[in-house]
Amino acid sequence: MIRLYINDTVAAISTAMGEGGIGIIRISGDDAIKIAQKIVSCRNTTATALEHRKSHSMCLADVVDPVDGSRVDEALITVMRAPNTYTKEDVVEINCHGGIMAVRKTLQLALAAGARAADPGEFTKRAFLNGRIDLTQAEAVIDTIQSRTEIALKAAADQLEGGLSNNINEIAERVADVLTQVEAAVDFSDEDIETLPLTELLDLLQKTHIHIDELLATAVRGRMIKEGIRVAIVGRPNVGKSSLLNALLRRERAIVTPIPGTTRDVIEETVTVSGIPLILKDTAGIRESDDHIERIGVELTKKAMQTAELVICVVDGSNDFTEDDDALIGELPCTPSILVVNKSDLPQAQSARARYKDNKINAIVELSAYTGDGINQLESAVEKLLFDGDIAAPGTTIITNARHEQLLDKALHGLDEAIALLRDEQPEEIIAMILRDILRDLGEITGETVTEDILSRIFSQFCIGK
Ligand code: GDP
């Protein structure tokens, strides 16, 4: 059972720590206004007492240490009365000057005046516990904060607006309708009551199945949006892997040097292609070697290729291809792969297309990491290969959260079972039990049936002050 907070007022710094224009201390709970009143003094207003101020209005005030009356900072105070607040509780926000000292001192004063230091994500947790948002919306708040791309932000915004909740509620409603019918058949089995025919119940469950299938089909895209795609850049030494990484980043990061085999560690960087983060790994050249350190590099290359979701294999087009090139290209895993023929700004030695046409390569791109010519073609090739050229947000709900995916998957298995049993006209009690389990799984997504344990796990990922 979920514990509700009663008579407990919390405070935290809600802005990022560091120098900035303003820093915000947020206080939420029954005593928020009373506590704030102890440490601020409003200026230039007829209603100096916070408790008399209009909800959602600001006033200029001094933050004052009640112990000695000394002035800590000048601030703007916003009083927001329950229930129209982030937490549905009384909330006071103190906008101090940014920087570490003013906000920290103001928080200390709020704590000394009776507030408890908020746990990570506690404001959002209260919004959930007080029924303003459901769990998927609370999770969308973390996603919004952690978004690194526009598409990720869009997906989080849809979830925050209730896009996923609406889908889950619709699915749950249909399952509950079927459950009602099945339970009626159990409870009134001796009586002659009207229940929907079997075919209609099956039809309802099939529709639900399709709906969950459609949601789950978005999960691969969701994972890409949120976590990015692991890309391994491989090739023998000196073909220009680090230069390519730099060209993609359009800034220097890896050390570019003409001495072969100097990129000995795997360097990881993220670039965004059409809104999807690509996590690029530049590895040391793959080749048989007696040099211990380089051998480690070779192992890393093989591992990077195996764990990558896309391999970019680089060869040097200005020199004859070598046996090492052939060996590496021969070793490419079944992962989608692009062959980059680099150094196109120099006279080309031979045709990679002719030589490697029979290998497991999905696309060949000629480019110059040095001048940047052809980098766009590489980006288009990545987009076409991974997303079939269709990367734009589809305007529908996308499953971006592994927890939601697992629970939907579980619900889908339950549905398979329920449909099979219903079709075989098996005992209603068993079918009802399975349908109840499905409803519990769906409720766990929206937070209706969630345990305190799961809640703690979710909210511990939040930052303090959110
Ligand atoms: P890596 O060992 O595969 O990472 O290769 P580097 O990126 O360190 O590049 C090796 C050498 O090739 C350096 O001298 C680069 O300046 C040069 N190089 C890389 N890409 C190009 C290119 O597109 N054109 C030319 N002309 N030189 C390049």
Short mmCIF file of all heavy atoms in Angstrom, two decimals, residues 101-127:
data_model
loop_
_atom_site.label_atom_id
_atom_site.label_comp_id
_atom_site.label_asym_id
_atom_site.label_seq_id
_atom_site.Cartn_x
_atom_site.Cartn_y
_atom_site.Cartn_z
N MET A 101 25.81 30.22 -2.95
CA MET A 101 25.61 30.65 -1.56
C MET A 101 24.19 31.11 -1.24
O MET A 101 23.60 30.67 -0.25
CB MET A 101 26.60 31.77 -1.19
CG MET A 101 27.98 31.27 -0.88
SD MET A 101 28.00 29.69 0.01
CE MET A 101 27.35 30.18 1.59
N ALA A 102 23.62 31.97 -2.10
CA ALA A 102 22.30 32.54 -1.79
C ALA A 102 21.25 31.43 -1.70
O ALA A 102 20.45 31.39 -0.76
CB ALA A 102 21.91 33.56 -2.86
N VAL A 103 21.26 30.50 -2.66
CA VAL A 103 20.24 29.45 -2.65
C VAL A 103 20.46 28.49 -1.48
O VAL A 103 19.52 28.07 -0.81
CB VAL A 103 20.16 28.66 -3.99
CG1 VAL A 103 19.43 29.44 -5.03
CG2 VAL A 103 21.51 28.23 -4.48
N ARG A 104 21.73 28.17 -1.24
CA ARG A 104 22.01 27.22 -0.16
C ARG A 104 21.59 27.79 1.20
O ARG A 104 20.98 27.11 2.01
CB ARG A 104 23.51 26.91 -0.15
CG ARG A 104 23.72 25.42 0.04
CD ARG A 104 25.17 25.12 0.13
NE ARG A 104 25.52 24.20 -0.93
CZ ARG A 104 26.74 23.92 -1.29
NH1 ARG A 104 27.76 24.52 -0.70
NH2 ARG A 104 26.98 23.05 -2.22
N LYS A 105 21.93 29.05 1.41
CA LYS A 105 21.61 29.69 2.69
C LYS A 105 20.08 29.79 2.85
O LYS A 105 19.55 29.51 3.93
CB LYS A 105 22.25 31.09 2.73
CG LYS A 105 22.01 31.86 4.01
CD LYS A 105 22.81 31.29 5.18
CE LYS A 105 22.39 31.94 6.50
NZ LYS A 105 22.78 31.19 7.66
N THR A 106 19.40 30.13 1.76
CA THR A 106 17.93 30.24 1.84
C THR A 106 17.31 28.88 2.14
O THR A 106 16.38 28.77 2.93
CB THR A 106 17.37 30.82 0.52
OG1 THR A 106 18.04 32.05 0.26
CG2 THR A 106 15.88 31.07 0.60
N LEU A 107 17.85 27.83 1.51
CA LEU A 107 17.34 26.48 1.80
C LEU A 107 17.56 26.14 3.28
O LEU A 107 16.66 25.65 3.95
CB LEU A 107 18.01 25.44 0.90
CG LEU A 107 17.61 23.99 1.23
CD1 LEU A 107 16.13 23.74 0.93
CD2 LEU A 107 18.46 22.98 0.46
N GLN A 108 18.77 26.45 3.76
CA GLN A 108 19.06 26.17 5.18
C GLN A 108 18.05 26.85 6.10
O GLN A 108 17.58 26.27 7.06
CB GLN A 108 20.46 26.67 5.54
CG GLN A 108 21.57 25.71 5.17
CD GLN A 108 22.94 26.36 5.31
OE1 GLN A 108 23.06 27.51 5.79
NE2 GLN A 108 23.97 25.64 4.88
N LEU A 109 17.72 28.10 5.75
CA LEU A 109 16.76 28.84 6.57
C LEU A 109 15.38 28.15 6.53
O LEU A 109 14.72 28.02 7.56
CB LEU A 109 16.62 30.29 6.08
CG LEU A 109 17.85 31.18 6.24
CD1 LEU A 109 17.54 32.59 5.71
CD2 LEU A 109 18.31 31.26 7.69
N ALA A 110 14.99 27.68 5.34
CA ALA A 110 13.69 27.01 5.21
C ALA A 110 13.68 25.72 6.04
O ALA A 110 12.68 25.40 6.68
CB ALA A 110 13.39 26.71 3.74
N LEU A 111 14.79 25.01 6.03
CA LEU A 111 14.87 23.76 6.80
C LEU A 111 14.83 24.07 8.30
O LEU A 111 14.15 23.40 9.07
CB LEU A 111 16.14 22.97 6.44
CG LEU A 111 16.24 22.51 4.97
CD1 LEU A 111 17.53 21.72 4.74
CD2 LEU A 111 15.04 21.68 4.54
N ALA A 112 15.57 25.13 8.69
CA ALA A 112 15.58 25.49 10.11
C ALA A 112 14.20 25.96 10.55
O ALA A 112 13.81 25.81 11.71
CB ALA A 112 16.61 26.60 10.34
N ALA A 113 13.42 26.50 9.59
CA ALA A 113 12.08 27.00 9.93
C ALA A 113 11.03 25.89 9.95
O ALA A 113 9.86 26.15 10.16
CB ALA A 113 11.69 28.10 8.94
N GLY A 114 11.44 24.66 9.69
CA GLY A 114 10.49 23.55 9.86
C GLY A 114 10.27 22.65 8.66
O GLY A 114 9.52 21.68 8.76
N ALA A 115 10.89 22.95 7.52
CA ALA A 115 10.69 22.08 6.36
C ALA A 115 11.67 20.89 6.44
O ALA A 115 12.70 20.98 7.09
CB ALA A 115 10.93 22.85 5.07
N ARG A 116 11.30 19.80 5.77
CA ARG A 116 12.21 18.67 5.67
C ARG A 116 12.86 18.73 4.28
O ARG A 116 12.20 19.15 3.31
CB ARG A 116 11.41 17.37 5.81
CG ARG A 116 12.19 16.11 5.46
CD ARG A 116 11.42 14.85 5.80
NE ARG A 116 10.21 14.65 5.02
CZ ARG A 116 10.19 14.26 3.74
NH1 ARG A 116 11.33 14.05 3.09
NH2 ARG A 116 9.05 14.07 3.12
N ALA A 117 14.13 18.31 4.19
CA ALA A 117 14.80 18.32 2.88
C ALA A 117 14.11 17.29 1.98
O ALA A 117 13.95 16.13 2.37
CB ALA A 117 16.27 17.97 3.04
N ALA A 118 13.69 17.72 0.80
CA ALA A 118 12.94 16.82 -0.10
C ALA A 118 13.84 15.72 -0.63
O ALA A 118 15.04 15.93 -0.87
CB ALA A 118 12.37 17.62 -1.27
N ASP A 119 13.26 14.54 -0.82
CA ASP A 119 13.98 13.43 -1.46
C ASP A 119 14.07 13.71 -2.95
O ASP A 119 13.32 14.54 -3.47
CB ASP A 119 13.21 12.12 -1.26
CG ASP A 119 13.15 11.70 0.20
OD1 ASP A 119 14.09 12.05 0.94
OD2 ASP A 119 12.16 11.05 0.58
N PRO A 120 14.94 12.96 -3.67
CA PRO A 120 14.97 13.14 -5.13
C PRO A 120 13.58 12.90 -5.72
O PRO A 120 12.91 11.93 -5.36
CB PRO A 120 15.94 12.04 -5.59
CG PRO A 120 16.80 11.76 -4.42
CD PRO A 120 15.95 12.00 -3.20
N GLY A 121 13.16 13.80 -6.58
CA GLY A 121 11.87 13.64 -7.27
C GLY A 121 10.65 13.74 -6.38
O GLY A 121 9.54 13.41 -6.80
N GLU A 122 10.83 14.21 -5.14
CA GLU A 122 9.69 14.15 -4.21
C GLU A 122 8.52 15.06 -4.62
O GLU A 122 7.36 14.73 -4.39
CB GLU A 122 10.14 14.48 -2.78
CG GLU A 122 9.01 14.23 -1.79
CD GLU A 122 9.43 14.19 -0.34
OE1 GLU A 122 10.64 14.09 -0.05
OE2 GLU A 122 8.53 14.26 0.51
N PHE A 123 8.82 16.18 -5.24
CA PHE A 123 7.72 17.07 -5.67
C PHE A 123 6.86 16.34 -6.71
O PHE A 123 5.64 16.39 -6.67
CB PHE A 123 8.27 18.38 -6.22
CG PHE A 123 9.00 19.21 -5.19
CD1 PHE A 123 10.39 19.28 -5.18
CD2 PHE A 123 8.31 19.89 -4.21
CE1 PHE A 123 11.06 20.02 -4.23
CE2 PHE A 123 8.97 20.64 -3.25
CZ PHE A 123 10.35 20.70 -3.26
N THR A 124 7.53 15.66 -7.64
CA THR A 124 6.79 14.94 -8.68
C THR A 124 6.08 13.73 -8.07
O THR A 124 4.96 13.40 -8.46
CB THR A 124 7.76 14.50 -9.80
OG1 THR A 124 8.51 15.63 -10.21
CG2 THR A 124 7.02 13.94 -10.99
N LYS A 125 6.74 13.11 -7.09
CA LYS A 125 6.12 11.96 -6.42
C LYS A 125 4.84 12.40 -5.72
O LYS A 125 3.82 11.72 -5.75
CB LYS A 125 7.11 11.37 -5.41
CG LYS A 125 6.68 10.05 -4.82
CD LYS A 125 7.80 9.49 -3.94
CE LYS A 125 7.45 8.14 -3.37
NZ LYS A 125 8.51 7.64 -2.50
N ARG A 126 4.89 13.57 -5.10
CA ARG A 126 3.69 14.10 -4.43
C ARG A 126 2.60 14.39 -5.47
O ARG A 126 1.43 14.14 -5.22
CB ARG A 126 4.04 15.36 -3.65
CG ARG A 126 4.78 15.04 -2.37
CD ARG A 126 5.30 16.28 -1.67
NE ARG A 126 5.89 15.87 -0.39
CZ ARG A 126 5.54 16.37 0.79
NH1 ARG A 126 4.65 17.33 0.88
NH2 ARG A 126 6.10 15.93 1.89
N ALA A 127 3.03 14.94 -6.62
CA ALA A 127 2.04 15.21 -7.68
C ALA A 127 1.35 13.91 -8.07
O ALA A 127 0.14 13.87 -8.32
CB ALA A 127 2.73 15.83 -8.89
#
